[in-house]
Amino acid sequence: MAGGAGGGGAAEITLERTPTWIVASVCSVIVLISLFFERLLHRLGKRLTKGRRKPLYEALLKVKEELMLLGFISLLLTVFQGATQKICVRESLMQHLLPCPRNGAGAAKSVQHYAAGATVFTGVVGSTRRLLAGGGASSDYCLNKGKVPILSIQAIHQLHIFIFVLAATHVILSAITIILGITQTRKWKHWEDKIQQSDDNGPQMVRHVQEFKFIKKHFKGHGRRWEIFGWLRSFFKQFYGSVTEEDYTTLRLGFVMKHSKGHLKFNFYNYMNRALEGDFKKVVGISWYLWAMLMIFLLLNVHGWHVYIWISIAPFILLLLVGSKLEHIITELAIDVAQKNTAIEGELVVALSDEFFWFHRPKLVLLLIHIILFQNAFEIAFFFWLLVTYGFKSCIMGKPAYAIARLVISVIGQLLCGYSTLPLYALISQMGSSFKKAMFDESISEGLANWAHKARKRNTKPAASVGDNSSVGEEIQMTNARRESAI
């Protein structure tokens, strides 16, 4: 059924009047593009599985879940757009909390840019006045009552575009984050190889604590003056050298002496890689509280408030505070050793504790990083969506200086977080009282999980006897044997 647009516009061609070769061609292109990306993600998942990168594979599954969720939201907007056209409100309610001024020269200028952007999209994807059959009739439903629809067809179409841009930005920035993190930790491998190849079994010499390079670089003396200097040094160190070789060597030894004292050749670098991948798996998802933040961000985009510039600055300041705190924990470890000892026999060993972290909770830092990364993704996606949909000079974009500042702050924050803060957290979070399950490789973790499962089953049986600890080793050996036979 072909209907005319309101006001005597040209009739739109419906699907029943469209040549079949056009329908088949357009559908073929869409299906081929979808299959290409689906196969690409599938092959990436198989490579991660073969490479035993289980945390990264789980992160990929989270990305797929987020894409599916965003696609489902887009589907709901399409299916229920007819129903939204029958939800009528008084026109006076549409006068409040507007992202653009409704009257005046600014509004007229905004309309011109809006029309230009709409013309572009009309030429690319066709008319957006009625995406589903009956769209025009639904719009007239509210007009006949002297009211307006709660959400216009054009606004629904633009929300579709925003969802697509947000999904694409989220995936791209997630990939950039892990690539930057792995790149930063590459140099840690050379330090680990040097430690593994060394054979330092000489006599344990007694050295003054001030002779250690780690202490020299981080401990400058007592008093409030040196405490302020330590915070300033920690603030700037996150930009040019978040982790030095002395830092890595000392923190590694402290971890090994606390959690693996009988295994001094423990490969701390491989453990750190697994820990980094596990942390990335947690920050790549969009949790319920992040969705709540998104709703608040959209609500506060009101003309004249300039809230978005502060929404961009606040996470960046928080990121700098997090980076400074993580760097200062290294300084606090050095101060703790210097205050408790005047001389040390052998190597310098730092005392690990949760007390160095905010509220004694290392995981709180990861939560803050998660919020910061999401805010950066939202800000970058929102900027490009406005740029494509309305143009750079649109009133909804805000002042050009504010828009550019928001984008620059978000990009710098994203790069700093991926290259410095997240890898730094992966290392410093090990300075707490406990260790992560990433300390065990996949085969050992699987063996322990199987043993624990069987132990729970035995405990449920009254006549069952408690097994000894040797079953853990047997389970791990069986797991390794099954893996080797499969290879």
Side-chain angles (χ1 to χ4, degrees):
M1 79 189 231
E12 294 183 1
I13 301 177
T14 59
L15 194 61
E16 62 184 358
R17 300 294 181 183
T18 304
T20 56
W21 68 270
I22 295 180
V23 177
S25 299
V26 172
C27 290
S28 298
V29 172
I30 294 175
V31 170
L32 288 175
I33 294 175
S34 301
L35 287 177
F36 171 77
F37 282 103
E38 192 276 333
R39 289 289 92 189
L40 184 65
L41 293 176
H42 179 71
R43 288 186 175 273
L44 179 59
K46 290 185 66 175
R47 291 194 61 178
L48 293 176
T49 304
K50 289 182 179 179
R52 299 182 184 179
R53 311 295 291 271
K54 187 176 180 180
L56 285 183
Y57 176 70
E58 292 177 354
L60 179 64
L61 294 181
K62 275 198 171 185
V63 171
K64 286 184 176 181
E65 291 175 1
E66 298 303 331
L67 291 176
M68 183 185 70
L69 178 60
L70 291 172
F72 186 71
I73 294 173
S74 179
L75 177 63
L76 289 179
L77 284 173
T78 302
V79 171
F80 291 104
Q81 75 170 7
T84 59
Q85 298 303 293
K86 294 185 178 181
I87 301 177
C88 308
V89 296
R90 296 192 305 272
E91 190 172 358
S92 59
L93 294 178
M94 309 297 287
Q95 308 288 333
H96 308 287
L97 298 179
L98 294 174
C100 284
R102 189 167 183 83
N103 300 314
K109 188 176 181 180
S110 169
V111 171
Q112 292 178 356
H113 287 287
Y114 170 83
T119 302
V120 172
F121 275 98
T122 299
V124 175
V125 297
S127 176
T128 58
R129 298 191 180 199
R130 290 196 299 270
L131 300 179
L132 291 178
S138 298
S139 299
D140 295 338
Y141 177 83
C142 291
L143 294 178
N144 293 335
K145 291 186 173 184
K147 298 181 178 180
V148 294
I150 193 170
L151 199 64
S152 68
I153 295 293
Q154 183 71 14
I156 293 176
H157 171 67
Q158 289 160 355
L159 277 178
H160 278 286
I161 299 172
F162 174 67
I163 291 172
F164 172 78
V165 174
L166 180 61
T169 305
H170 176 64
V171 172
I172 294 172
L173 292 184
S174 297
I176 292 175
T177 300
I178 190 60
I179 291 173
L180 290 175
I182 294 176
T183 302
Q184 170 69 349
T185 58
R186 287 291 184 187
K187 59 183 179 183
W188 298 358
K189 180 174 175 55
H190 302 295
W191 302 336
E192 183 68 35
D193 292 341
K194 188 186 299 185
I195 296 172
Q196 297 293 333
Q197 294 169 5
S198 65
D199 190 17
D200 189 9
N201 295 322
Q204 300 294 312
M205 299 178 60
V206 178
R207 300 168 60 186
H208 193 275
V209 71
Q210 298 289 347
E211 295 178 7
F212 291 94
K213 290 183 178 179
F214 180 77
I215 300 296
K216 286 181 180 179
K217 290 187 175 181
H218 292 281
F219 181 70
K220 301 297 181 180
H222 300 276
R224 186 169 185 83
R225 173 189 173 188
W226 296 113
E227 182 180 352
I228 296 175
F229 174 81
W231 275 104
L232 289 175
R233 184 182 182 278
S234 299
F235 175 79
F236 290 105
K237 188 171 178 285
Q238 63 181 313
F239 299 105
Y240 63 88
S242 56
V243 179
T244 63
E245 184 174 1
E246 290 80 16
D247 296 340
Y248 179 84
T249 304
T250 305
L251 299 182
R252 175 195 179 278
L253 183 60
F255 178 88
V256 172
M257 293 301 292
K258 182 175 179 64
H259 300 298
S260 184
K261 194 170 184 179
H263 189 197
L264 297 181
K265 293 297 183 180
F266 172 73
N267 196 316
F268 188 66
Y269 171 75
N270 289 342
Y271 165 65
M272 288 304 308
N273 261 349
R274 293 193 295 269
L276 176 63
E277 292 172 0
D279 294 336
F280 174 73
K281 178 187 69 175
K282 295 178 181 178
V283 302
V284 73
I286 304 180
S287 304
W288 66 268
Y289 51 86
L290 297 181
W291 284 110
M293 289 177 58
L294 175 61
M295 300 304 107
I296 295 174
F297 295 158
L298 295 176
L299 175 65
L300 296 178
N301 186 27
V302 179
H303 176 73
W305 288 12
H306 305 298
V307 173
Y308 273 28
I309 185 65
W310 301 110
I311 292 179
S312 301
I313 293 176
F316 185 71
I317 295 175
L318 181 60
L319 177 64
L320 297 180
L321 289 176
V322 169
S324 300
K325 176 59 178 177
L326 293 175
E327 290 286 355
H328 195 257
I329 289 177
I330 304 178
T331 301
E332 289 180 298
L333 291 169
I335 294 174
D336 183 66
V337 173
Q339 290 179 341
K340 292 180 179 179
N341 304 275
T342 57
I344 295 177
E345 181 180 0
E347 296 295 332
L348 178 66
V349 180
V350 295
L352 312 186
S353 175
D354 288 342
E355 295 181 0
F356 296 111
F357 296 87
W358 284 321
F359 304 103
H360 303 169
R361 295 183 59 191
K363 292 184 178 180
L364 177 62
V365 179
L366 187 63
L367 174 63
L368 297 177
I369 293 175
H370 192 187
I371 295 174
I372 292 168
L373 287 176
F374 173 77
Q375 170 58 23
N376 288 336
F378 167 78
E379 192 64 49
I380 294 173
F382 194 68
F383 175 85
F384 284 105
W385 172 64
L386 294 178
L387 181 65
V388 172
T389 307
Y390 299 104
F392 184 71
K393 295 182 179 180
S394 171
C395 66
I396 195 173
M397 179 72 77
K399 294 183 178 180
Y402 287 167
I404 294 296
R406 283 159 42 193
L407 179 64
V408 171
I409 290 173
S410 300
V411 170
I412 293 176
Q414 185 71 31
L415 296 177
L416 180 63
C417 192
Y419 189 72
S420 176
T421 311
L422 190 59
L424 184 61
Y425 168 79
L427 175 63
I428 303 302
S429 61
Q430 312 313 317
M431 300 302 104
S433 303
S434 58
F435 59 85
K436 300 180 180 180
K437 66 178 183 179
M439 185 172 181
F440 307 105
D441 60 24
E442 186 177 346
S443 59
I444 296 178
S445 298
E446 184 179 345
L448 289 173
N450 292 335
W451 172 81
H453 177 68
K454 291 181 179 180
R456 285 193 296 269
K457 290 180 64 176
R458 286 196 300 268
N459 290 334
T460 58
K461 299 178 182 179
S465 60
V466 180
D468 54 26
N469 292 334
S470 62
S471 60
V472 180
E474 294 175 359
E475 189 66 46
I476 295 174
Q477 291 178 0
M478 292 174 60
T479 303
N480 288 333
R482 288 196 299 268
R483 187 179 300 279
E484 291 175 0
S485 62
I487 295 175

